[in-house]
Amino acid sequence: MPTRTLPTVRRVSLADLHAFPDLFVDVANRRDAALRFYDGDWKDIDVRRNKAEAAAAQPADRDVLADALMEHNALWSNEGAVPEDVRANIDALRDASSVAVVTGQQVGFLSGPLYTIYKTITTLQLADEIADDTGRPVVPVFWVEGEDHDVDEIAHASVFHRNDVVDLEYPTDAEEAGSTVNVGPVGRLTLDERIDDLLNRLDDVLPPSDFKPDVMASLRDVYRRGTRIEDAFARLIRHLFEGTGLVLMNPDDARLKRLVTPLFRQDLTDGAEAVQAVQTAGTNLEEAGYHAQVHASPTNLFLLDEDGRLPIDVDEDGGFRLRGTARRFTCDELLERLESEPEAFSPNVVLRPLMQDALVPTVAYVAGPGEVSYFAQYRDVYDWAGMTMPLIHPRASVSLVESKVRSVMDDFDLSVADLTGDMEQLFQQVVVQHMEVDIDAVFGEALAQIHGAINDLKPSVDEVDRTLVKSAEAARAAIAQEINELKQRVVRAEKRQHDELRAKLEKARVNLVPGGLQERRINVHYFLNKYSLDLLGDLRQVLSTDTSAHQVVEL
């Protein structure tokens, strides 16, 4: 059997891409100015060992957690049979010495943008790495975030088609009724016949390949009418990462919510300190030249009921009300509801990671740029809750470069960073570099001769009439301007003759920066259709957990 050739990886500075917050870049590069907002250096082995020891003591109830995870993964596995590697990892979480590397993501259609894949790969790699560092069992866990209520944010997927991008949309009731509709947790929504239209459209757009029948069959198998969105998403992630031992977790579970009722109760009865912690950290971030991602709310909980997923606000009289409604509660009424029906409460962006880490022995969380910014404001919130904040490990940032695009990049000596800037400026730069005549040199020499000639004239002019020296300088400026304008006309004429070059640059840009970095828009199934599911295994081998640079993978 021939040896499989793995893709080549090049590294590009994150800062050069101008695509990430400064805080993310500085955390990824382990700069002290940024790391001081977190609870440890994500790459330091000693810090990992200490964090693992603290995390192992944190879960509320490992057996309840493991039982719930076994059910979640049975629901999301073929014929309800939890794969043996997943079962072993869930059972490992019953061991008091075990810890977990966690990531999470909203339930994007067809797995969402590529960054979901990269977060998962980093999580799998990091779990193995920390297991080697600590000698402990380390379990990779994926938090399936289905409780968000913005369905329009997840109901789409994008793929390439003939050097253009096609956006596939799943029309939603919220979209049809208006943006004010609160549909409740999007993961609970059931797919209808419109999912068939989306998959048929994808089938039309993807080019024929040896792998297309399997790609489309796997998608049609999980994205079916009558299936909840979170179930389809989770079953697809299970399929894509089969054989890795990845444990999927559904936080929308009454048993797990009951385990964190003390945390929810503390937020309702003593949330002012957490609010202040978020606000103070935000101020400190801004004073350090970063941005504050989170703006604190009086409570960090939503209520889930027939009206949707509604934020709980503090009322003027010290009670509570549901935002956008006339419904009000006393503190005792909400606490009684929490005690009898904890599954009716949902954490916001501040409380969600604390819920996660109260349930799971999280040694590290693999975070995207937005999440890295969130966590910078949470260290004192963890202290408020009496919990240990995990290490925050930046996810891999990746661009996949196909051979047709790589040839363009090589021809013009370009990097991904070159394509994130002004396209017209790049085009002019490439035209000048590849003209047979060195325009800069020719016109530079001409200007030098003109300056020399004016300089030679000035003594004679001065001798005849000193007042004419200014006229000589004015002539110099006018001639230089005319020369520069002529140079620009020559360059424009050359550019008109380079339509093919422009088309090549546009092709490279569309494929690598399609309205933002490729990882933020394009769905993985475009690449799986061309390169097979083996591509994900290749990426697990070649991508690095050193995520301080953008990784360019040449396919």
Side-chain angles (χ1 to χ4, degrees):
M1 185 174 181
T3 302
R4 184 174 178 82
T5 302
L6 293 174
T8 300
V9 180
R10 300 183 186 181
R11 295 174 68 84
V12 175
S13 165
L14 291 171
D16 288 349
L17 297 175
H18 305 290
F20 299 100
D22 291 342
L23 183 61
F24 181 78
V25 174
D26 286 353
V27 170
N29 285 279
R30 303 167 66 203
R31 296 188 177 116
D32 290 341
L35 290 181
R36 68 187 181 90
F37 292 101
Y38 302 86
D39 198 24
D41 180 345
W42 54 270
K43 200 174 180 182
D44 187 293
I45 292 178
D46 289 334
V47 173
R48 287 178 176 180
R49 289 170 180 158
N50 293 336
K51 188 63 67 176
E53 183 175 354
Q58 194 154 270
D61 190 316
R62 286 177 177 268
D63 286 332
V64 172
L65 171 66
D67 290 344
L69 291 177
M70 205 67 79
E71 289 189 21
H72 301 166
N73 286 269
L75 173 65
W76 293 333
S77 300
N78 288 335
E79 300 179 355
V82 180
E84 283 304 313
D85 54 352
V86 176
R87 180 179 294 276
N89 273 341
I90 294 173
D91 284 335
L93 287 172
R94 300 182 193 273
D95 180 344
S97 69
S98 68
V99 293
V101 174
V102 183
T103 197
Q105 193 59 45
Q106 292 174 297
V107 289
F109 269 59
L110 314 187
S111 76
L114 278 161
Y115 60 66
T116 301
I117 302 300
Y118 304 145
K119 288 178 80 172
T120 309
I121 289 174
T122 302
T123 300
L124 294 166
Q125 295 172 318
L126 188 60
D128 290 340
E129 198 172 281
I130 293 181
D132 290 340
D133 291 341
T134 64
R136 293 174 179 267
V138 183
V139 177
V141 176
F142 190 109
W143 178 285
V144 178
E145 184 49 70
E147 288 194 1
D148 285 347
H149 55 271
D150 188 352
V151 65
D152 293 331
E153 189 174 339
I154 56 98
H156 53 83
S158 300
V159 295
F160 292 127
H161 179 64
R162 295 176 181 171
N163 295 317
D164 201 355
V165 178
V166 174
D167 297 317
L168 307 169
E169 305 283 347
Y170 180 82
T172 64
D173 294 335
E175 182 181 24
E176 293 173 359
S179 59
T180 58
V181 172
N182 187 321
V183 299
V186 298
R188 298 180 183 179
L189 299 180
T190 300
L191 297 167
D192 58 26
E193 67 280 355
R194 290 173 290 189
I195 192 60
D196 297 330
D197 296 333
L198 185 150
L199 293 175
N200 289 339
R201 174 68 173 140
L202 176 64
D203 200 355
D204 291 340
V205 169
L206 292 180
S209 76
D210 292 342
F211 315 114
K212 184 174 180 180
D214 289 341
V215 166
M216 291 307 306
S218 65
L219 288 173
R220 294 187 189 280
D221 184 51
V222 297
Y223 278 88
R224 298 178 179 180
R225 300 185 196 185
T227 301
R228 299 197 312 175
I229 290 175
E230 68 185 14
D231 294 338
F233 173 88
R235 288 167 185 159
L236 181 57
I237 295 296
R238 162 69 63 241
H239 167 71
L240 295 177
F241 291 97
E242 184 177 2
T244 64
L246 181 68
V247 175
L248 303 173
M249 180 174 182
N250 185 359
D252 191 8
D253 182 303
R255 292 163 296 181
L256 301 183
K257 293 283 182 72
R258 183 160 297 283
L259 288 180
V260 295
T261 51
L263 176 64
F264 290 180
R265 185 183 303 112
Q266 183 177 356
D267 187 70
L268 292 172
T269 60
D270 186 28
E273 186 178 339
V275 171
Q276 185 59 51
V278 171
Q279 290 175 335
T280 300
T283 300
N284 292 339
L285 280 166
E286 290 172 344
E287 290 176 351
Y290 299 118
H291 72 287
Q293 184 83 3
V294 182
H295 300 285
S297 301
T299 77
N300 295 300
L301 288 167
F302 293 83
L303 190 68
L304 307 176
D305 67 7
E306 65 275 4
D307 291 328
R309 181 176 183 254
L310 301 176
I312 301 173
D313 290 330
V314 175
D315 214 345
E316 297 80 3
D317 60 3
F320 299 91
R321 60 182 171 81
L322 295 186
R323 189 178 303 170
T325 76
R327 298 170 60 190
R328 286 173 166 75
F329 304 88
T330 66
C331 185
D332 287 343
E333 287 171 336
L334 271 187
L335 291 177
E336 288 175 9
R337 180 79 176 269
L338 176 61
E339 186 63 31
S340 64
E341 195 181 354
E343 64 271 22
F345 292 79
S346 175
N348 75 352
V349 69
V350 174
L351 215 56
R352 190 210 69 76
L354 277 79
M355 174 184 171
Q356 164 195 291
D357 300 331
L359 294 169
V360 181
T362 310
V363 61
Y365 183 83
V366 175
E371 292 168 313
V372 166
S373 296
Y374 292 146
F375 275 100
Q377 294 178 250
Y378 293 169
R379 187 178 59 193
D380 289 345
V381 182
Y382 275 85
D383 290 342
W384 162 81
M387 296 171 57
T388 297
M389 182 175 173
L391 294 176
I392 306 305
H393 189 113
R395 68 159 171 85
S397 176
V398 182
S399 291
L400 302 180
V401 183
E402 298 185 80
S403 57
K404 64 178 182 180
V405 178
R406 187 172 68 246
S407 63
V408 175
M409 307 285 281
D410 291 344
D411 286 347
F412 304 114
D413 193 25
L414 300 176
S415 73
V416 175
D418 294 318
L419 297 171
T420 61
D422 181 82
M423 197 62 184
E424 192 60 32
Q425 184 177 344
L426 175 63
F427 177 56
Q428 180 166 332
Q429 172 187 324
V430 172
V431 166
V432 170
Q433 289 176 350
H434 290 80
M435 290 174 70
E436 293 182 5
V437 177
D438 188 337
I439 295 297
D440 286 332
V442 169
F443 278 85
E445 177 61 26
L447 278 174
Q449 292 178 14
I450 290 168
H451 288 310
I454 295 294
N455 290 338
D456 289 343
L457 285 173
K458 283 177 66 178
S460 300
V461 171
D462 182 62
E463 186 176 337
V464 174
D465 187 343
R466 179 169 297 180
T467 63
L468 294 178
V469 171
K470 290 184 178 180
S471 297
E473 288 299 332
R476 182 204 301 273
I479 295 170
Q481 181 177 344
E482 288 292 334
I483 292 295
N484 282 326
E485 290 179 357
L486 176 61
K487 176 184 175 183
Q488 294 305 314
R489 289 196 294 271
V490 171
V491 170
R492 286 195 294 271
E494 184 75 12
K495 285 164 64 176
R496 286 192 295 272
Q497 299 174 30
H498 283 75
D499 288 343
E500 183 179 348
L501 185 154
R502 181 186 290 275
K504 289 180 178 179
L505 292 179
E506 289 290 351
K507 177 173 74 173
R509 183 179 177 110
V510 166
N511 279 270
L512 295 178
V513 192
L517 291 181
Q518 178 195 85
E519 64 183 22
R520 295 181 185 169
R521 186 173 183 188
I522 302 303
N523 182 269
V524 70
H525 288 89
Y526 165 80
F527 293 99
L528 299 185
N529 181 63
K530 295 191 72 173
Y531 303 99
S532 87
L533 194 58
D534 290 341
L535 173 63
L536 300 186
D538 291 347
L539 292 176
R540 290 200 300 276
Q541 291 190 65
V542 301
L543 292 179
S544 174
T545 56
D546 177 359
T547 53
S548 58
H550 183 74
Q551 300 179 63
V552 180
V553 180
E554 298 178 348
L555 303 178

